Amino acid sequence: MQLEGKVALITGAGSGIGKAAALLLAKEGAKVAALGRTPDEITEVAEEIKKAGGEAIPVVADIGSAEQMQKAVQQTVDKWGTIDVVFANAGINGVWAPLEELTPEDWNKTINTNLTGTFYTVKYAVPFLKKQGGSVIVTASVNGTRIFSNTGATAYSCTKAAQVAFTKMTALELAQSKVRVNVICPGAIESNIDENTEKRGVDKVKIPVEFPEGNIPLTDGKPGKAEDVAQLVLFLASDASKHISGTEVWIDGTESLLQG
């Protein structure tokens, strides 16, 4: 098993990419702290891991709260003594709207969850990662990194671009402590993130574009699966990627090359 004996903290673990990663990393031997805001979801994930013979605990926290994330990291360390892998995955699409209609509250909520939440997740885990080295994986997006044609997604795209910069800065800062930091940029993936997306007036400013025969060439227009992304997370969490840090990896079936 690639992660035998390792401790992994995974945010947004209740569904989608986070859940798929939690199940796969546990299968590969990791002890998983499954973090989310919905107790029922993360408890279910933790129980699924235990039934399969793995180790897991549910951790309830809002990544946008410094106090809650500090407690979440401590809860993980109190249980297993350390943290080896951090998958900073939780995030929201938030409100997509023209600038005139995007309120300061809309903007701040997206920034606080996606960018500040990533900062809190990594910041409070760093002292433990530095003790023995480890791996941090951040979930960004094709939006704000290769795709800029999703009009109205300004707040969301800005957080995703900033996550890439955050990754590169921290990768260099933590390199001497043998902590690797990388960022994944998924395209269209089967998940429920659209449930926290609110679009207002986007059609008024969107520039019409017609894509040839679907917009995800590699899969004939079909979105990728959360399990596909989980395999990438496993690679970046394991020693198979031991010389990779400060790097963004797009996983989108060439979607962003067509739509960018």
Side-chain angles (χ1 to χ4, degrees):
M1 292 189 288
Q2 298 183 62
L3 299 177
E4 188 169 8
K6 303 292 186 182
V7 175
L9 172 64
I10 300 175
T11 68
S15 63
I17 292 171
K19 178 179 180 179
L23 297 176
L24 180 59
L25 268 58
K27 183 179 179 182
E28 289 294 329
K31 302 169 185 177
V32 174
L35 187 148
R37 292 188 301 176
T38 308
D40 290 347
E41 283 187 345
I42 56 171
T43 298
E44 185 177 320
V45 171
E47 289 303 316
E48 188 172 343
I49 289 172
K50 290 176 185 177
K51 286 178 182 177
E55 287 189 58
I57 57 170
V59 180
V60 180
D62 178 354
I63 63 167
S65 164
E67 182 181 4
Q68 290 184 37
M69 285 309 299
Q70 196 168 12
K71 289 180 178 179
V73 168
Q74 193 60 53
Q75 182 180 344
T76 305
V77 174
D78 287 346
K79 175 66 176 178
W80 290 305
T82 190
I83 296 177
D84 302 284
V85 177
V86 173
F87 183 27
N89 166 73
I92 60 171
N93 276 355
V95 174
W96 291 20
L99 288 179
E100 299 96 319
E101 298 180 23
L102 190 67
T103 69
E105 291 76 19
D106 297 332
W107 173 272
N108 289 334
K109 181 178 180 181
T110 303
I111 298 293
N112 187 61
T113 300
N114 293 355
L115 182 55
T116 307
T118 296
F119 165 64
Y120 291 153
T121 301
V122 178
K123 170 184 171 59
Y124 293 117
V126 160
F128 304 101
L129 290 164
K130 289 172 74 173
K131 289 181 179 180
Q132 72 284 320
S135 177
V136 175
I137 304 108
V138 175
T139 299
S141 172
V142 292
N143 289 290
T145 58
R146 272 185 176 170
I147 291 181
F148 299 91
S149 54
N150 281 325
T151 310
T154 307
Y156 177 76
S157 294
C158 284
T159 64
K160 298 295 136 178
Q163 283 177 314
V164 173
F166 175 85
T167 294
K168 292 177 183 294
M169 293 296 296
T170 54
L172 190 56
E173 178 180 334
L174 300 176
Q176 290 187 327
S177 297
K178 304 297 184 274
V179 178
R180 296 177 291 109
V181 189
N182 293 289
V183 57
I184 62 173
C185 303
I189 302 293
E190 291 178 353
S191 71
N192 59 2
I193 193 170
D194 287 340
E195 293 176 5
N196 58 48
T197 307
E198 181 183 345
K199 294 186 179 181
R200 295 199 304 253
V202 172
D203 290 341
K204 294 184 292 185
V205 292
K206 193 169 185 65
I207 299 172
V209 178
E210 185 175 343
F211 297 109
E213 299 297 326
N215 56 9
I216 309 176
L218 191 63
T219 54
D220 297 322
K222 297 176 183 177
K225 298 184 181 299
E227 290 77 12
D228 299 331
V229 184
Q231 290 289 345
L232 175 58
V233 174
L234 172 61
F235 168 70
L236 292 173
S238 73
D239 288 341
S241 62
K242 64 183 179 182
H243 201 55
I244 300 175
S245 192
T247 297
E248 61 268 64
V249 183
W250 285 272
I251 177 164
D252 67 350
T254 69
E255 174 190 2
S256 61
L257 296 176
L258 179 64
Q259 294 192 48

